[in-house]
Amino acid sequence: MISLAGRDIMHAWGKFVFTGVGLGLLIGITLSMAGIYRGMVDDAKALLDNSGADLWVVQQDTLGPYAEPSSIYDDVWRGVRGMPGVARTANVTYLTMQVRQGGRDVRTMVTGITAGEPGTPGWPPYLVAGRQMTRGHYEAVADIASGFKLGDHLQIRRNHYTVVGLTRRMVSSGGDPMIFIPLKDAQEAQFLKDNDAIRQQRLRTAANPAFNRPQVPGLLDAVIASQSINPYVNAVLVQVDSNHSAEEVAESIRRWKRLTVYTRDQMEEILVGKLIATSARQIFMFLVILSVVSAAIVAFIIYTLTLGKIREIAVLKLIGTRNRTIVALIMQQSIALGLIGFVVGKITATLLMAPIFPKYVLLEPLDSVMAFVAVVVICILASIIAIRAALKIDPAEAIGG
Amino acid sequence: MAGKGIHIEGLKKRYGSGDTAVDALIGVDMQVAPGEVVGLVGPSGSGKSTLLKCLGAVIEPTAGRMTLGDLVIYDGGWKVKDLRALRRDKIGFIFQAPYLIPFLDVTDNVALLPMLAGKPNAESRKLAMELLQALDVEPRAKAMPSQLSGGEQQRVAIARGLVNRPPVILADEPTAPLDSERALAVIRILNDMARKFETAIIVVTHDEKIMPTFKRIYHIRDGVTYEEAGEGREFE
């Protein structure tokens, strides 16, 4: 038996291809939306993976340092380092801000890391160009997505930094590229006030008789000095030695240091389950809407094509064509339209949309397989209206009168 | 003639019921022998189309009896379970317009019926080509319907109606869109094919120019048929 659907498609291939291309653009947007969600999850995981930490020690009862503000003293790491099972510790600060370079600025996550060597928690695990930071101030390592190049001079607050190294896939959970600077500089940048504010604060402190006592020389200077430093970091990153489990060490730190500690899985749950949950729901709603729109378009097109063949279907029924042959004709056309749309959509999403989207778009093969199955199912469902219409056609319509 | 061709006795068809009931066929008696082409003539609303639909097993008569050869297809109710297969294998249709499937070429338009009956594609196409050759449209075998003239399309439609070698063919005003010359050519073909394949052909028509070609004509008026001898010109 010949394929009636195939012959009909070949007979009007231009109409099918152009309709399929239109549908494909819609499917391309749907795939891109799924890719954006996957990209967000991947960004969150990259942030955790690249930190090199097994545990995150943060301010008590907070979800820090990525989902909520967290401040702990910068000497907490010493006590944590002495706990059983702890191999390495490092302070870290995170500050999302605009970093200026020349006439432009880039939204980045400025990360303060402690002096050390590659492998220290918080350090970028690898570079694609240049070297790691070797000085205690005014050097930076930038993610290549920031657009900065080796030797570029950046301005963070009042200070200028030279880019000495470039890394890749070091991004915040929001997809902002990371800029690594020395911890002390980052701590200063976090709470640095402008000169007028500093002057105002000094005048206020001097006007306070509790701090400005003539009989206690040096008190005022000591208070002002304490106000101009930042002894806080956002978290202590911990690497656990191979003989201990992360959960066991985390429990020990929670009990003895009275701090909140998150393991890798807990931190992933916070990032994926809480931080990007709203965005994920929004994207899911877009996916649902786009799927419904795609289904409606396929249904309308197939219904219109079927109505255009009423006389032919009536003749086919009159000369003895079985209903299943007519159902197959319509359903195969619907699926063919979906397949054309899927191929166009996949190419569009991969080659056209993903490279130009500002956010990372991760097109997982499994998502494509699921999308393919969804397209086929949607096309089958969308053809039902047309099939019902075709089955209602009376073969007597082929006979006049 | 009994036992061959198509035989219709006391066929009735009523649409609706109660006060709104309409008797479209009140008493139809017809008999068409194998190899015979008869005309079925009547004014609009006389019941021609209803009769054609009943003969084509598209609508169910209300009463009467119909036999195709030795096969009783209706006797107060359908006697054949699969009416679709009956239409496919035992009844050929030729319409006022050719109604060829626009996305199939000439060969496949004709070969589609044997394919639907389960015959292999190659065998179906061979049967189609034999008929296309007999009807002199073989050179257009690979053409699409839109590339054919009106006369060629009608010959392809005749080939489609004959391809399963049905014992009866119902032709619904097959010459209506054609000029005199082509209309007579179509009737000549139908007569040739009727004789060649032992097929009974009923031609529903209003067409005055082909009327003299029938040896027998059934007139239908107000749902009742009357038989009349025709002139039978051209095909003696």
Side-chain angles (χ1 to χ4, degrees):
Chain A
M1 180 67 192
I2 53 176
S3 165
L4 293 176
R7 295 299 182 87
D8 194 16
I9 291 169
M10 292 308 293
H11 182 244
W13 65 269
K15 185 164 60 178
F16 257 86
V17 167
F18 282 115
T19 310
V21 167
L23 181 66
L25 293 175
L26 200 62
I27 292 172
I29 294 170
T30 311
L31 285 172
S32 296
M33 296 299 287
I36 289 169
Y37 170 70
R38 292 290 182 199
M40 287 167 68
V41 172
D42 198 66
D43 282 348
K45 287 181 178 173
L47 175 64
L48 301 181
D49 290 339
N50 293 335
S51 71
D54 298 315
L55 300 174
W56 283 257
V57 180
V58 300
Q59 184 181 337
Q60 205 170 36
D61 300 329
T62 69
L63 295 173
Y66 309 117
E68 285 182 358
S70 160
S71 290
I72 55 176
Y73 280 110
D74 58 7
D75 58 356
V76 165
W77 69 273
R78 294 174 196 278
V80 174
R81 175 67 186 86
M83 300 293 292
V86 174
R88 273 172 152 179
T89 59
N91 284 328
V92 69
T93 65
Y94 298 106
L95 175 63
T96 300
M97 62 180 295
Q98 299 293 124
V99 171
R100 283 182 290 282
Q101 189 244 340
R104 69 179 184 124
D105 57 3
V106 180
R107 182 146 194 90
T108 62
M109 187 160 88
V110 174
T111 306
I113 53 174
T114 54
E117 70 269 2
T120 301
W123 276 54
Y126 61 91
L127 299 180
V128 292
R131 59 171 174 80
Q132 296 280 8
M133 291 181 290
T134 54
R135 295 181 184 172
H137 293 285
Y138 312 129
E139 284 189 343
V141 170
D143 185 273
I144 203 160
S146 65
F148 298 134
K149 298 180 182 65
L150 288 179
D152 278 356
H153 294 288
L154 320 176
Q155 187 179 351
I156 298 173
R157 302 284 196 216
R158 270 200 301 255
N159 297 322
H160 291 84
Y161 296 80
T162 302
V163 177
V164 296
L166 294 174
T167 184
R168 192 191 292 277
R169 284 298 292 143
M170 297 295 293
V171 292
S172 73
S173 60
D176 300 323
M178 291 168 91
I179 306 282
F180 295 88
I181 62 172
L183 182 73
K184 287 291 175 195
D185 291 351
Q187 283 179 292
E188 185 188 345
Q190 268 194 326
F191 297 102
L192 186 64
K193 299 181 180 69
D194 61 73
N195 288 341
D196 287 341
I198 292 169
R199 187 168 163 275
Q200 284 291 329
Q201 189 182 34
R202 284 178 182 169
L203 287 173
R204 281 167 174 259
T205 307
N208 188 335
F211 298 138
N212 195 358
R213 295 182 185 175
Q215 63 272 38
V216 188
L219 175 61
L220 180 62
D221 290 341
V223 171
I224 288 172
S226 75
Q227 287 173 339
S228 61
I229 60 163
N230 169 23
Y232 297 103
V233 292
N234 298 127
V236 174
L237 304 180
V238 176
Q239 283 178 354
V240 175
D241 72 30
S242 54
N243 298 324
H244 291 76
S245 75
E247 186 50 53
E248 176 193 345
V249 176
E251 188 52 42
S252 174
I253 297 171
R254 284 185 202 114
R255 175 185 291 179
W256 298 108
K257 296 298 174 189
R258 302 173 68 80
L259 292 165
T260 295
V261 185
Y262 294 112
T263 61
R264 171 71 169 70
D265 290 344
Q266 289 168 329
M267 194 50 86
E268 188 173 320
E269 172 58 26
I270 290 170
L271 282 175
V272 178
K274 298 186 193 308
L275 203 60
I276 62 174
T278 308
S279 303
R281 277 199 295 273
Q282 194 156 326
I283 287 170
F284 177 74
M285 287 309 298
F286 266 117
L287 284 175
V288 171
I289 291 166
L290 286 170
S291 301
V292 171
V293 170
S294 303
I297 288 174
V298 174
F300 177 74
I301 291 166
I302 293 298
Y303 186 69
T304 309
L305 288 174
T306 304
L307 288 189
K309 289 197 286 275
I310 283 181
R311 181 68 78 173
E312 286 81 8
I313 290 171
V315 170
L316 284 170
K317 289 175 102 170
L318 185 69
I319 63 177
T321 308
R322 293 188 182 281
N323 279 344
R324 65 166 179 257
T325 306
I326 291 165
V327 169
L329 162 70
I330 296 167
M331 197 170 279
Q332 285 168 11
Q333 285 188 342
S334 182
I335 292 171
L337 194 61
L339 293 182
I340 295 169
F342 178 79
V343 171
V344 172
K346 177 71 181 157
I347 292 170
T348 306
T350 308
L351 301 180
L352 297 180
M353 292 182 182
I356 61 168
F357 269 53
K359 283 220 172 198
Y360 179 49
V361 179
L362 177 61
L363 299 167
E364 297 267 23
L366 187 62
D367 286 347
S368 297
V369 172
M370 285 167 59
F372 176 78
V373 173
V375 165
V376 171
V377 170
I378 284 172
C379 287
I380 289 171
L381 294 176
S383 64
I384 287 173
I385 301 169
I387 287 169
R388 281 170 59 93
L391 294 182
K392 279 183 186 169
I393 294 172
D394 187 353
E397 285 187 39
I399 299 174
Chain B
M1 220 184 281
K4 301 282 184 183
I6 184 165
H7 193 105
I8 301 157
E9 290 173 76
L11 198 71
K12 293 179 182 177
K13 174 63 185 175
R14 171 176 286 187
Y15 290 109
S17 59
D19 294 343
T20 58
V22 176
D23 288 313
L25 300 178
I26 294 169
V28 173
D29 297 296
M30 285 179 81
Q31 201 165 343
V32 187
E36 188 183 17
V37 179
V38 300
L40 178 63
V41 182
S44 289
S46 59
K48 290 194 307 290
S49 293
T50 300
L51 177 57
L52 210 58
K53 286 171 188 173
C54 289
L55 296 180
V58 178
I59 60 172
E60 186 173 1
T62 313
R65 179 182 163 91
M66 289 195 293
T67 56
L68 270 181
D70 295 326
L71 177 68
V72 179
I73 58 172
Y74 185 86
D75 191 0
W78 290 118
K79 299 298 173 190
V80 177
K81 279 186 181 174
D82 190 350
L83 294 176
R84 201 182 292 267
L86 174 76
R87 290 201 298 266
R88 185 187 63 214
D89 301 332
K90 304 284 185 190
I91 304 169
F93 293 93
I94 300 168
F95 310 107
Q96 184 172 353
Y99 296 147
L100 300 176
I101 307 299
F103 48 83
L104 297 180
D105 65 20
V106 164
T107 309
D108 283 344
N109 254 291
V110 179
L112 182 62
L113 260 88
M115 286 177 189
L116 289 171
K119 287 202 171 80
N121 289 2
E123 190 185 334
S124 302
R125 289 195 176 110
K126 194 178 164 206
L127 285 171
M129 288 304 287
E130 284 171 14
L131 274 168
L132 292 173
Q133 202 169 13
L135 289 162
D136 204 22
V137 272
E138 191 196 7
R140 311 304 308 274
K142 289 294 158 199
M144 299 305 282
S146 59
Q147 297 169 320
L148 304 179
S149 68
E152 285 172 330
Q153 287 188 27
Q154 198 58 293
R155 275 183 281 165
V156 174
I158 292 169
R160 182 175 64 184
L162 286 164
V163 71
N164 272 351
R165 306 288 190 267
V168 63
I169 286 182
L170 306 175
D172 183 15
E173 306 210 33
T175 59
L178 304 177
D179 58 34
S180 298
E181 194 181 336
R182 284 182 179 155
L184 289 171
V186 165
I187 295 299
R188 186 178 295 120
I189 288 167
L190 287 178
N191 275 276
D192 289 347
M193 295 297 132
R195 278 195 292 271
K196 186 172 180 183
F197 298 116
E198 289 283 288
T199 305
I201 299 179
I202 299 171
V203 179
V204 175
T205 187
H206 278 120
D207 196 346
E208 292 294 335
K209 56 187 176 281
I210 64 167
M211 229 51 105
T213 67
F214 299 116
K215 287 179 183 169
R216 287 197 302 133
I217 298 171
Y218 282 96
H219 291 271
I220 183 166
R221 189 181 297 272
D222 298 329
V224 181
T225 48
Y226 308 92
E227 188 183 343
E228 180 190 60
E231 296 175 36
R233 278 193 223 155
E234 297 274 337
F235 306 110
E236 287 299 332

